[in-house]
Amino acid sequence: MTADFLVVGAGIAGLSFALRAAKYGSVIVLAKGRAEESNTAWAQGGIASVLEKELRDDGDSEESHVADTMDAGAGLCDEAVVRRIVGEGDETIEDLLGYGVHFDKDGERFLLGKEGGHSYRRILHARDTTGREVARAMLEAARREPNLRLMENHFVIDLITTAKLDAVSDDRILGAYVLERETGEVKVFKSDRVVLAAGGCGKVYLYTTNPDSATGDGVALGWRAGALIANMEFIQFHPTCFYNPAAVGPEARSFLVSEAVRGEGGILRNGKGEDFTKKIDQRGSLAPRDIVARAIDRELKKTGAACVYLDVTHKPRGFMKERFPYIYERLLQFGLDCELSPIPVVPAAHYQCGGLKTDVNGKTTIRGLYAVGEVGCTGLHGANRLASNSLLEGNVVGRLALEEMMRLYPPSKPVMDAPPIPEWVHGDVAEPDELVVIYHNWDELRRLMWDYVSIVRTNNRLRRAAARLRNLKKEVREFYWGHRVNADILELRNLVAVAGLIVECGLRRRESRGLHYTLDHLETDERFAKDTLLRKF
Ligand code: SIN
């Protein structure tokens, strides 16, 4: 199969690119499961944007949004990138309105929310299911687009580049080997222009706010293809994931309680009812996420408690049901009326701030390969992402990637004579007969990462994690090469690769900064005020 543009992932970033690219050539968008299962669709908060059209009588400005982003990013943001992306808020919102996204309004004016690290209310939202609304509208547009083919249940196994072809010295993208899950067939998809938009890697941790699909596929694909990877140590833990004691363990089904709840006055309290975050940062429950997550971690370790509480019982009756209907209803399913009782919460893995190193246009180090959204590391987030900046980034970088590609590699101009693509090589084709091994490895990996490589780190724990990961990697490699591939094996292979990158980047950063906090180096050290870079070959 051949396409002018091949997009891996169907969230906001992939679709922002794909919907525009379809005006210039044929587009295939691959989703490894249902297209609706993206990280985008699970985003609750919204889109941070200072709209020019809005009459800002509260003093907010683009400059303030830039400053908050840089402050959260703890010295590692690329200021030019921040300015560029933050400056595209208007276009982004116009674009989404054009697809039919409905944001909450009061008459003619958008209702604006607030989240941790933001100095002002500037987050456009659709109640507490903003991502679902964005995904709905963009997927509907994608399904209407004649030049765009959305192929679900297609799992990319590996990217194809010229790197391994002896005859070609230039490293550029040629396409991908793809597993069609329904038939078990592996197919070659050829394209000179490939966009990775496969989201993040929350499932590498035992507890996460992410959907099951977030298995680090994009970063693992880029890594194996030889792309430069940056800053994988910066994994953001969201402070408030509903704590469900009835479902502790790998199968825990919990869910995010949006930071916007704190933006509307929710207060974090310990078991004694104390507002403990105030002792750590004057912004209290609304300090940036790294600070709040660490404050909770410290409180749990100090008191031995299993969770802390998010208290909204002081809000007027009916407020939560109206503003956060999804959260309100889900909590009711667990027997908790949050307007009457505080919500038990714990931190959970939420967002990958590193990824394939790119410029603001999503351009990676492999020609023709772009990485957009969570899978890319443009320099917007630095060492810690500011809440609700990611949907904005996804939309903007998806658009800029297309513009850049049309400058460098327009479909009307063949990039080069395509060298013959080698057959997909695989080992044995035995059916996996010991799925229990895969599931065991999967659980072991996620617990290992949670226990050794989460909110508070040490050199020792990182080294121990690295040693255990080496064994796991060996086992997963044997399993991968010894059996017919299926989605479970592929996801585990990707997770183990990404876990290795998180640990390796963590070991290299011998300081505490943003989301990387280590007891061995408590201070920020200016010698490390730079990206952590890794490349396979
Ligand atoms: C949230 O609603 O708390 C998540 C928003 C985000 O991660 O940007």
Side-chain angles (χ1 to χ4, degrees):
M1 206 158 281
T2 303
D4 292 319
F5 304 95
L6 180 63
V7 182
V8 183
I12 187 170
L15 293 179
S16 166
F17 175 90
L19 283 162
R20 292 180 170 91
K23 310 276 176 281
Y24 302 97
S26 59
V27 183
I28 291 179
V29 177
L30 301 175
K32 72 172 173 179
R34 286 176 51 245
E36 279 75 9
E37 280 164 15
S38 62
N39 263 12
T40 295
W42 279 42
Q44 291 184 5
I47 304 187
S49 175
V50 183
L51 300 180
E52 262 168 32
K53 284 189 289 305
E54 289 290 303
L55 208 54
R56 301 305 305 236
D57 38 26
D58 59 357
D60 195 10
S61 62
E62 220 168 88
E63 203 53 40
S64 168
H65 187 182
V66 168
D68 289 346
T69 301
M70 307 267 300
D71 181 51
L76 277 200
C77 296
D78 178 328
E79 187 172 343
V81 169
V82 175
R83 288 190 178 281
R84 182 77 203 269
I85 293 176
V86 164
E88 303 274 347
D90 270 324
E91 283 82 347
T92 292
I93 300 305
E94 281 302 322
D95 185 51
L96 295 176
L97 292 173
Y99 295 128
V101 174
H102 295 289
F103 292 108
D104 292 346
K105 282 181 132 178
D106 179 13
E108 281 309 296
R109 296 190 67 165
F110 291 111
L111 285 170
L112 300 175
K114 191 167 191 286
E115 289 178 37
H118 286 277
S119 302
Y120 294 91
R121 285 185 172 268
R122 59 167 76 106
I123 297 166
L124 284 88
H125 52 80
R127 296 290 201 277
D128 53 353
T129 46
T130 310
R132 196 198 290 167
E133 170 63 4
V134 168
R136 174 202 64 75
M138 293 186 89
L139 282 169
E140 276 176 22
R143 288 185 169 116
R144 283 194 302 267
E145 177 57 62
N147 240 1
L148 187 159
R149 190 156 170 211
L150 181 59
M151 301 180 78
E152 300 182 296
N153 290 315
H154 280 70
F155 198 136
V156 177
I157 301 172
D158 271 315
L159 297 174
I160 310 169
T161 70
T162 50
K164 291 189 187 138
L165 306 182
D166 290 344
V168 187
S169 57
D170 178 22
D171 189 10
R172 67 157 296 113
I173 194 81
L174 298 172
Y177 299 112
V178 180
L179 170 71
E180 190 182 352
R181 289 173 72 173
E182 274 155 17
T183 60
E185 231 182 293
V186 176
K187 294 181 174 161
V188 172
F189 281 66
K190 293 186 194 172
S191 184
D192 287 332
R193 299 160 206 83
V194 176
V195 176
L196 286 178
C201 67
K203 291 300 277 190
V204 83
Y205 286 98
L206 190 54
Y207 302 111
T208 178
T209 62
N210 291 183
D212 285 348
S213 54
T215 52
D217 304 328
V219 167
L221 288 170
W223 166 250
R224 286 195 295 269
L228 190 63
I229 307 291
N231 295 354
M232 287 299 290
E233 68 274 38
F234 298 124
I235 299 292
Q236 185 172 74
F237 289 80
H238 196 290
T240 57
C241 186
F242 173 58
Y243 172 68
N244 172 17
V248 175
E251 288 310 310
R253 278 289 170 273
S254 196
F255 61 92
L256 177 67
V257 180
S258 175
E259 194 155 285
V261 173
R262 278 173 283 137
E264 296 298 342
I267 297 171
L268 282 164
R269 300 189 189 281
N270 60 18
K272 290 191 205 150
E274 294 162 343
D275 178 358
F276 61 94
T277 54
K278 269 273 157 51
K279 289 185 212 140
I280 311 281
D281 190 294
Q282 57 169 4
R283 291 166 287 185
S285 298
L286 268 185
R289 277 182 198 167
D290 54 333
I291 296 169
V292 179
R294 270 199 304 279
I296 296 175
D297 191 71
R298 191 170 308 144
E299 191 66 22
L300 297 181
K301 290 199 169 111
K302 193 173 84 189
T303 61
C307 63
V308 295
Y309 297 89
L310 178 56
D311 186 7
V312 284
T313 55
H314 51 283
K315 299 295 288 182
R317 190 75 174 134
F319 173 80
M320 287 298 290
K321 192 172 179 185
E322 166 63 20
R323 169 67 178 86
F324 299 105
Y326 171 79
I327 295 169
Y328 181 78
E329 287 302 325
R330 289 227 42 198
L331 288 169
L332 270 191
Q333 287 164 12
F334 287 96
L336 188 120
D337 183 339
C338 62
E339 298 195 338
L340 300 177
S341 314
I343 309 163
V345 290
V346 283
H350 184 61
Y351 196 87
Q352 162 195 302
C353 292
L356 273 74
K357 177 76 187 149
T358 73
D359 62 8
V360 72
N361 305 311
K363 188 158 68 134
T364 73
T365 50
I366 296 176
R367 285 183 63 210
L369 178 67
Y370 286 68
V372 298
E374 192 169 351
V375 71
C377 180
T378 56
L380 173 69
H381 308 312
N384 180 27
R385 178 183 66 106
L386 184 68
S388 286
N389 264 355
S390 41
L391 294 180
L392 174 68
E393 182 189 44
N395 185 282
V396 173
V397 181
R399 171 160 64 75
L400 297 181
L402 193 259
E403 288 171 9
E404 164 94 353
M405 232 185 241
M406 292 305 292
R407 268 196 305 276
L408 296 179
Y409 322 111
S412 53
K413 208 166 78 188
V415 182
M416 62 176 199
D417 289 339
I421 290 186
E423 285 288 300
W424 184 62
V425 181
H426 200 60
D428 257 315
V429 287
E431 290 299 335
D433 55 350
E434 287 197 309
L435 284 181
V436 66
V437 177
I438 300 186
Y439 299 138
H440 176 84
N441 284 349
W442 181 289
D443 294 349
E444 190 180 333
L445 173 77
R446 296 181 65 206
R447 180 164 284 286
L448 166 75
M449 291 298 286
W450 186 258
D451 289 343
Y452 289 74
V453 199
S454 56
I455 300 171
V456 176
R457 300 165 180 178
T458 66
N459 287 342
N460 256 341
R461 282 187 220 154
L462 288 175
R463 276 196 291 267
R464 287 194 180 126
R468 282 166 173 72
L469 279 173
R470 275 194 287 279
N471 289 340
L472 268 176
K473 252 185 213 162
K474 192 165 157 282
E475 234 172 74
V476 171
R477 198 177 305 126
E478 280 163 14
F479 217 88
Y480 171 77
W481 285 105
H483 297 90
R484 188 185 291 281
V485 287
N486 65 26
D488 287 332
I489 296 178
L490 294 178
E491 286 187 335
L492 184 59
R493 177 175 177 243
N494 291 341
L495 280 174
V496 94
V498 168
L501 295 172
I502 296 170
V503 171
E504 183 56 34
C505 287
L507 279 167
R508 289 182 186 212
R509 185 168 290 284
R510 292 188 294 283
E511 63 160 355
S512 287
R513 182 188 292 273
L515 298 163
H516 179 68
Y517 182 78
T518 163
L519 296 178
D520 289 304
H521 310 280
L522 288 172
E523 302 302 323
T524 299
D525 179 341
E526 279 319 290
R527 286 175 304 170
F528 290 95
K530 56 186 181 203
D531 291 339
T532 314
L533 298 173
L534 295 177
R535 196 197 307 249
K536 188 163 185 209
F537 50 84

